[in-house]
Amino acid sequence: MAGKVHYSEFMSGHEDGEKWVPGEADVSIRPGWFYHSVEDDKVRSLDEMVDIYYESIGRNATLLLNLPVDRRGLVHENDEARLKELVATIKADFKTELLAGAKVQASNTRAVDSNFRT
């Protein structure tokens, strides 16, 4: 069928493909994509936001976080507060540089594999 899209290709790609397309995680901070005042108390929990962060960014995907604006044209205070909590949590998680002082060494060989020898 001409023009038919094979969605499975978006999941795994082509081994010998010509293009690299990064993974993308599209998520809204609220139940939907648009602002509704009845959802002011339904902003995702901090635990859920942290999970979303690590399961997208942590798996090398781009996180596109939707922040719907209210009737004032602003991000609602509840959404803003949750984002500040998320930022504080991420900063705390990465406060200690785990590889500070580590020594890295590399070579052009890989064990006994002849494909990696010079």
Side-chain angles (χ1 to χ4, degrees):
M1 183 176 194
K4 183 177 180 184
V5 177
H6 297 280
Y7 292 103
S8 63
E9 294 176 4
F10 294 123
M11 301 287 286
S12 59
H14 291 282
E15 182 177 348
D16 59 347
E18 297 177 2
K19 307 279 190 279
W20 177 77
V21 180
E24 189 175 283
D26 302 333
V27 181
S28 184
I29 197 166
R30 290 170 170 255
W33 289 99
F34 301 100
Y35 176 80
H36 302 286
S37 60
V38 297
E39 296 176 348
D40 286 348
D41 62 343
K42 295 181 179 164
V43 175
R44 292 183 187 268
S45 71
L46 178 59
D47 286 342
E48 191 174 5
M49 293 299 298
V50 170
D51 286 345
I52 288 168
Y53 179 84
Y54 284 117
E55 290 177 11
S56 58
I57 301 292
R59 292 181 175 166
N60 203 28
T62 302
L63 174 59
L64 299 174
L65 182 61
N66 178 55
L67 301 170
V69 294
D70 61 19
R71 292 186 180 271
R72 302 169 298 169
L74 302 173
V75 172
H76 190 271
E77 293 81 5
N78 294 356
D79 303 44
E80 179 185 1
R82 184 55 32 87
L83 285 175
K84 287 181 177 180
E85 291 174 330
L86 178 61
V87 168
T89 299
I90 293 167
K91 284 183 177 183
D93 286 352
F94 290 99
K95 181 179 179 182
T96 303
E97 176 60 57
L98 299 176
L99 295 178
K103 294 184 181 180
V104 178
Q105 185 178 10
S107 70
N108 64 345
T109 61
R110 184 173 177 160
V112 295
D113 189 333
S114 62
N115 291 318
F116 294 95
R117 292 189 185 150
T118 56

